[in-house]
Amino acid sequence: MLFPQTKSILALHSANASEPDFGVTCKHGPAECAGNVHELCAMKYASPSAFWEFVQCQNYQGIDKVGQPETALKCASTAQIDWVNSGVGDCAGLDGSGKAAEGVLLLQNSVNVTEELGIEYVTETDPTHSPFDKCI
């Protein structure tokens, strides 16, 4: 169990080739898509502990800040992720936009796999933590 405190993970995306920046539609809009790109790139290029610290930092900033370039760069610094040299920045966009080709492809692949597998949600059974939903 990678994230035992997570009670449920909801898939709130759908493929949408006409969406100009991400090629997917995210339930909470383009900023959520950008935030997911940031997290997918951090997952790919940072250590698991740095990735998780990055995610926690983003979530702590509040939903209105997730996906913002300033939040991504601040949280990378907090998690000691070298945005420029680690691969995370190249993946997500050195400007923090979340719109670089590799990161957008990671998001599209994530959505496609989720849809192909028919995943609507995943429920964990750890009763020691409060439930919360995490968009993927």
Side-chain angles (χ1 to χ4, degrees), residues 35-88:
N36 290 335
V37 167
H38 296 147
E39 292 179 5
L40 287 164
C41 291
M43 183 186 297
K44 181 174 181 178
Y45 288 103
S47 69
S49 61
F51 158 71
W52 187 236
E53 187 173 348
F54 178 78
V55 170
Q56 288 179 312
C57 176
Q58 284 204 318
N59 290 341
Y60 182 77
Q61 304 309 307
I63 195 163
D64 61 320
K65 302 287 189 220
V66 173
Q68 300 299 316
E70 305 80 31
T71 302
L73 299 172
K74 173 184 177 179
C75 290
S77 178
T78 298
Q80 298 182 345
I81 295 171
D82 182 340
W83 192 262
V84 174
N85 296 310
S86 66
V88 176

Side-chain angles (χ1 to χ4, degrees), residues 15-20 23-24:
N16 179 357
S18 67
E19 200 290 323
V24 303

Side-chain angles (χ1 to χ4, degrees), residues 89-112:
D90 285 333
C91 177
L94 288 174
D95 62 355
S97 67
K99 296 179 182 177
E102 181 182 5
V104 170
L105 185 60
L106 288 174
L107 178 62
Q108 292 170 351
N109 289 341
S110 176
V111 170
N112 290 336

